[in-house]
Amino acid sequence: MARRSIPLLRQLWTLPSFNLTPTRSVTYMPRPGDGAPRAVTLIPGDGIGPLVTGAVEQVMEAMHAPLYFERYEVHGDMERVPEKVIQSIKKNKVCLKGGLATPMGGGVSSLNVQLRRELDLYASLVNCFNLPGLPTRHQDVDIVVIRENTEGEYSGLEHEVVPGVVESLKLITKFCSERIAKYAFEYAYLNNRKKVTAVHKANIMKLADGLFLESCREVSTKYPGIKYNEIIVDNCCMQLVSKPEQFDVMVTPNLYGNLVANTAAGIAGGTGVMPGGNVGADHAVFEQGASAGNVGNENLVEQKKANPVALLLSSAMMLRHLQFPSFADRLETAVEQVISDGKYRTKDLGGTSTTQEVVDAVIAALD
């Protein structure tokens, strides 16, 4: 989701004659049959998940988008993702999901991690950018965090050596490091991005993060038109909260990416407005970009005031992934119009609106 025009867009927004209606593309020529409705696996999930996935369903219906959902109930307290859900995603290739709660401690593993491994969704992408009309401490933020999704500290290799001593292993491989680096540079190349920054802790984890850096450096030589640099993760966090505009595309191992993406999302406007997804060679799962707050709390659910913007923008990413670019453009433009107008905003954005009021405003803003 390229956002290079955001500074100019912000200036134009103040002009009376500026029209948010997206221009029609003359270069997109669909292939015969591209308009056939596509099946998408839908996992509403836990907490606010049913609210925000329901919002997407309403907007898709209002747009007459060429897709339909196959709904499955999956919850974070299950022992594993049901096999029929896995098979549905493998068949449809695309999934939209709400947050799945992960129990703290205990023997229940994260279903989110299970999905990524089962489908080999090795790349997580979170786009953190300023939305016009939404005040934030920093301007000109447009960061894409690309995170390795299948190994590192999330490998789940833990055991108790003796009572009171637990060993947790961090797994880094050349294969996974190379393919996430390739994905990051390919993303930058295809989206006219100028710089890729590798985030690491190789000064301490010299072998594991050293291998990750070695892989990034090798891949960078194949993209001479893209600037490459490296930053230690603790300095990265400090730089993010002080000068986030310096970052473009960031590529990270698993754990660092989770921390960096949530930090960048908080800087750019909050986790409730940041889209994202997970992708592999054959499948893609779209969800709220930053994991913090993706399940919400009981008050949000009871009051029905969850922010649907992040998942609406993630569904626009999904539409583009399905090669329905005009539908994606319409949806993004409508969401940006509602945010810019400022009349309908949920509590996390300084408003009092319900989820449904935001959805109705977005539907009204569709061209």
Side-chain angles (χ1 to χ4, degrees), residues 183-322:
Y183 184 82
F185 276 93
E186 186 176 67
Y187 176 90
Y189 171 68
L190 292 174
N191 289 277
N192 194 30
R193 296 278 182 158
K194 307 302 181 185
K195 181 170 69 173
V196 172
T197 300
V199 183
H200 67 95
K201 191 65 177 174
N203 57 325
I204 302 299
M205 301 180 204
K206 299 181 185 297
L207 292 179
D209 285 20
L211 178 59
F212 175 78
L213 281 187
E214 177 187 307
S215 302
C216 291
R217 290 167 184 167
E218 289 177 2
V219 173
S220 72
T221 61
K222 301 175 183 177
Y223 294 84
I226 298 173
K227 183 180 178 181
Y228 170 70
N229 66 349
E230 300 165 357
I231 189 168
I232 296 173
V233 64
D234 37 355
N235 183 32
C236 172
C237 293
M238 187 274 288
Q239 295 290 335
L240 267 175
V241 299
S242 58
K243 294 187 291 183
E245 64 278 358
Q246 69 183 286
F247 295 107
D248 191 352
V249 175
M250 307 175 78
V251 60
T252 79
N254 207 333
L255 178 61
Y256 308 155
N258 193 16
L259 304 177
V260 168
N262 280 276
T263 303
I267 290 165
T271 58
V273 295
M274 299 302 147
N278 307 279
V279 67
D282 300 311
H283 314 98
V285 174
F286 295 88
E287 59 188 335
Q288 177 176 311
S291 59
N294 65 351
V295 175
N297 56 55
E298 291 182 5
N299 287 338
L300 281 178
V301 176
E302 290 173 359
Q303 298 171 12
K304 298 185 178 181
K305 290 188 174 182
N307 191 345
V309 169
L311 201 65
L312 286 171
L313 292 177
S314 296
S315 66
M317 290 175 62
M318 179 184 72
L319 286 167
R320 200 164 278 115
H321 178 81
L322 291 169

Side-chain angles (χ1 to χ4, degrees), residues 26-43:
V26 296
T27 58
Y28 175 67
M29 183 174 68
R31 297 166 299 186
D34 272 0
R38 292 284 301 273
V40 173
T41 304
L42 177 67
I43 301 175

Side-chain angles (χ1 to χ4, degrees), residues 3 5-15 18 129-134 136 138-141 340:
R3 296 280 168 181
S5 60
I6 289 295
L8 176 60
L9 186 59
R10 190 177 295 110
Q11 297 172 25
L12 291 174
W13 225 287
T14 61
L15 300 179
F18 182 58
F129 56 92
N130 293 122
L131 279 165
L134 185 63
T136 58
H138 297 281
Q139 298 302 313
D140 303 320
V141 177
S340 177

Side-chain angles (χ1 to χ4, degrees), residues 46-61:
D46 298 315
I48 65 172
L51 270 176
V52 293
T53 54
V56 172
E57 288 182 283
Q58 290 183 60
V59 174
M60 292 296 170
E61 183 178 354

Side-chain angles (χ1 to χ4, degrees), residues 160-181:
E160 188 172 39
V161 182
V162 295
V165 179
V166 173
E167 184 175 54
S168 180
L169 302 180
K170 172 177 176 174
L171 182 67
I172 296 287
T173 65
K174 180 77 168 178
F175 173 77
C176 290
S177 297
E178 277 189 349
R179 70 175 180 174
I180 196 64

